[in-house]
Amino acid sequence: MFPNVDIKGFRIGSLALDTPILLAPMAGYTDLAFRLTLRELGGMGLAYTEMINPRSMLLGRGRKRKAILATAPEDRPLGYQLYGKDPASLADAARWLQEHGAPLIDINMGCPQRKIAGSGA
């Protein structure tokens, strides 16, 4: 599938990936339906959820939170990306995700989007 890439043993920590192709988190795009559609095409080693605000994830109960965290058995492996400016909230959200089976948690530290960077997140 990838003639010039040695994909044997491609890992992120203890997470073994089938390919080195990753789907980055994209606000407004990488929901469950989008990820599953791309996974059906094949070749994706890892996908990410949309960026998640720790405060709204931990306190929220709305449809948006449910949609961002939505996954399915065929949506594996899946990484979760957190963003924010409060280290304690980021740590609490990372612990919550870990307790709920997240195999990979990423902290966004460089989103140039005005809404994110402008808030100090």
Side-chain angles (χ1 to χ4, degrees):
M1 180 175 222
F2 302 97
N4 298 322
V5 178
D6 178 15
I7 60 172
K8 266 188 169 176
F10 190 77
R11 307 177 78 72
I12 298 175
S14 63
L15 184 62
L17 304 179
D18 292 335
T19 76
I21 306 300
L22 311 178
L23 175 64
M26 296 179 285
Y29 293 96
T30 51
D31 62 5
L32 178 59
F34 183 77
R35 294 190 311 265
L36 291 176
T37 299
L38 291 182
R39 286 185 188 278
E40 285 180 20
L41 297 173
M44 187 168 24
L46 172 71
Y48 279 91
T49 62
E50 296 184 41
M51 294 187 306
I52 304 167
N53 179 303
R55 177 175 273 151
S56 62
M57 187 194 85
L58 293 169
L59 302 176
R61 304 219 189 304
R63 287 184 304 193
K64 181 155 176 100
R65 174 189 135 164
K66 188 175 180 180
I68 288 175
L69 296 176
T71 189
E74 57 274 15
D75 187 29
R76 301 283 187 273
L78 180 64
Y80 296 81
Q81 187 180 83
L82 299 172
Y83 76 94
K85 63 181 180 179
D86 177 36
S89 293
L90 288 164
D92 289 344
R95 273 190 289 277
W96 187 93
L97 286 167
Q98 184 179 26
E99 289 167 4
H100 288 83
L104 181 75
I105 301 165
D106 179 88
I107 306 295
N108 180 302
M109 295 186 173
C111 180
Q113 187 179 36
R114 183 176 296 160
K115 178 181 172 184
I116 307 297
S119 71

